Amino acid sequence: SEAVIAKYGEMVSLLAQNLNAILTTINVVNPYAQIIILDQYNPFSGIESSEAMIAFDIASENLIGWMNGVIIGSAFDMGADVCDAYTAFAGQGSIYTRILEMDIHPNEAGHALLADILLKIIEIEDPVPETSDKTPWYILGIVLSGAGSAFFMKNRRKVSA
């Protein structure tokens, strides 16, 4: 319905505002941070158990496509990388999520797949001598509550005061 589409539009607009604010803050606090944004997968993708589920999959594809457009656009604008969870999970919702248990979150296989993709994106540097100004540490898990998008960033350098 038009009311539902309008509500989704409000949600996606809020996602864009929050995402841009978060990315701006990270860049101000640490301009050397590598930021990797996890886009949204579709947990219903490939689930074709009924006509209602197929219709829901189509509707969720539209919303997730809208959300991912915002995520990819914001990432591009702010120089962040995107971890393509959407493509990785495409057609395999029942393999990589707990959707058949009515839970949209990744299962162990889904988390392992996401970790593999993230590790391919993260820059692997040579071990850093203790006297270096580089500090190889990771921050994982700035999460946009309710949006299902996670941010993973790696601090490349100490930020001097």
Side-chain angles (χ1 to χ4, degrees), residues 1-9 59 66:
S1 75
E2 288 183 32
V4 171
I5 292 170
K7 194 67 174 169
Y8 285 155
W66 202 358

Side-chain angles (χ1 to χ4, degrees), residues 41-61 89-105 107:
Y41 59 87
N42 183 354
F44 304 102
S45 181
I47 309 296
E48 299 181 4
S49 58
S50 68
E51 284 186 37
M53 195 55 135
I54 293 168
F56 193 76
D57 179 31
I58 292 167
S60 64
E61 282 291 324
F89 280 50
Q92 303 181 80
S94 63
I95 295 171
Y96 293 121
T97 73
R98 294 182 171 92
I99 195 62
L100 298 178
E101 300 163 22
M102 302 306 290
D103 181 355
I104 64 171
H105 298 97
N107 58 23

Side-chain angles (χ1 to χ4, degrees), residues 25-40:
T25 300
I26 291 170
N27 282 325
V28 167
V29 171
N30 187 350
Y32 302 105
Q34 177 185 12
I35 303 169
I36 303 169
I37 303 174
L38 190 69
D39 71 359
Q40 182 61 52

Side-chain angles (χ1 to χ4, degrees), residues 2-3 18 20 24 28 34 41 43 53-54 62 67 77 83 95 102-103 118 121 126 131 143-144 148 150 153 157 161:
E2 288 183 32
N18 289 340
N20 289 331
T24 298
V28 167
Q34 177 185 12
Y41 59 87
M53 195 55 135
I54 293 168
N62 291 330
M67 290 172 57
D77 290 346
C83 174
I95 295 171
M102 302 306 290
D103 181 355
L118 284 164
I121 297 171
D126 291 330
T131 57
V143 177
L144 282 180
M153 81 177 179
R157 293 184 186 264

Side-chain angles (χ1 to χ4, degrees), residues 84-159:
D84 189 3
Y86 176 83
T87 301
F89 280 50
Q92 303 181 80
S94 63
I95 295 171
Y96 293 121
T97 73
R98 294 182 171 92
I99 195 62
L100 298 178
E101 300 163 22
M102 302 306 290
D103 181 355
I104 64 171
H105 298 97
N107 58 23
E108 292 75 15
H111 282 291
L113 178 62
L114 294 175
D116 287 344
I117 298 167
L118 284 164
L119 288 173
K120 289 177 184 172
I121 297 171
I122 294 173
E123 293 179 1
I124 305 298
E125 299 177 4
D126 291 330
V128 180
E130 289 186 29
T131 57
S132 170
D133 67 342
K134 293 184 178 183
T135 304
W137 56 277
Y138 297 88
I139 299 174
L140 300 176
I142 298 174
V143 177
L144 282 180
S145 179
S149 298
F151 296 79
F152 297 85
M153 81 177 179
K154 174 185 149 197
N155 185 350
R156 293 187 196 158
R157 293 184 186 264
K158 291 181 187 175
V159 178

